[in-house]
Amino acid sequence: DWKVVHQVYGHRDNYAKKSWQENEALFETILIEIDNLVKTGKVDKKQLKTLIDRHASQINHPYGDYSAIVQASLNGLIFGIPQSPQTKYYAHRSACVSEEQYLSWKTERQSALDYLLMYYLQHYGPGTLADFWHWSGLRKGEIQPAFNRIEQKLTGLNYGTKTLYLPSTDASIIEYEQP
């Protein structure tokens, strides 16, 4: 879900941003060029790589092209068009969502974190907060408030010294609790 990914990860100092700290101006230039290219229509990964490779002599880290594509996605400039086994094409956000919708995404981070944590437990649970922390790459301090907000919707299962959580609406919980 592009909205949740952008809301949760778009603002963070992730590895893509960190890898470009020495040359932020070049990074911003490449992101603007990606934005302009994708506005022309659906583009494939090779086109993005060609654009980024024009700056190759100035890029001094091993994953420059990949990190620029990742950051353009996290910024909400481009959206990967799902395809199996991997994303091959990208579209500009304006082809997918209105500017008004996109701007609203910047104000809804808490609900996106809650959604992501519940999604994880619904699809990969039962799990601990440490499991989610590892899976999501988020900081523990970001996860705890989200957990506190959704805790009443969860059932904790004691397993040794750990508490595993599942949504209270999970079929296995409902079946287990019936007499």
Side-chain angles (χ1 to χ4, degrees):
D1 184 31
W2 296 320
K3 178 181 175 181
V4 172
V5 169
H6 176 70
Q7 288 173 317
V8 173
Y9 296 98
H11 75 288
R12 301 179 84 234
D13 284 334
N14 55 56
Y15 82 92
K17 283 184 183 177
K18 288 177 184 173
S19 67
W20 286 86
Q21 283 177 341
E22 293 176 16
N23 203 340
E24 287 183 50
L26 176 61
F27 191 44
E28 289 302 316
T29 297
I30 291 172
L31 291 176
I32 290 167
E33 289 179 18
I34 289 173
D35 187 39
N36 291 333
L37 172 65
V38 180
K39 281 180 183 174
T40 65
K42 181 174 85 171
V43 299
D44 65 27
K45 227 180 238 186
K46 288 180 184 176
Q47 290 172 283
L48 290 173
K49 187 161 173 29
T50 299
L51 179 152
I52 296 163
D53 284 348
R54 288 195 312 240
H55 302 280
S57 65
Q58 298 171 285
I59 299 172
N60 58 1
H61 46 82
Y63 303 110
D65 55 347
Y66 178 72
S67 64
I69 293 170
V70 167
Q71 194 58 47
S73 296
L74 293 176
N75 284 4
L77 296 177
I78 61 175
F79 293 146
I81 299 170
Q83 234 174 332
S84 185
Q86 60 191 11
T87 301
K88 295 179 184 175
Y89 295 97
Y90 294 86
H92 192 268
R93 76 166 175 258
S94 61
C96 306
V97 299
S98 71
E99 189 67 14
E100 184 178 310
Q101 287 174 307
Y102 170 71
L103 292 174
S104 76
W105 293 1
K106 296 183 181 299
T107 62
E108 301 171 2
R109 185 163 192 269
Q110 278 189 353
S111 61
L113 278 169
D114 299 357
Y115 172 84
L116 187 62
L117 178 52
M118 187 62 84
Y119 177 92
Y120 172 80
L121 293 170
Q122 286 172 332
H123 293 86
Y124 303 106
T128 65
L129 288 180
D131 294 334
F132 178 71
W133 171 63
H134 178 76
W135 176 81
S136 68
L138 296 169
R139 295 179 197 103
K140 291 177 186 177
E142 294 173 287
I143 295 168
Q144 191 63 52
F147 175 78
N148 293 344
R149 287 188 298 272
I150 68 166
E151 187 174 14
Q152 72 279 3
K153 298 176 185 176
L154 303 175
T155 296
L157 307 167
N158 294 323
Y159 183 74
T161 61
K162 296 180 180 182
T163 301
L164 303 173
Y165 295 96
L166 274 173
S168 298
T169 57
D170 189 276
S172 59
I173 295 294
I174 294 168
E175 186 176 310
Y176 177 77
E177 291 179 344
Q178 289 183 359

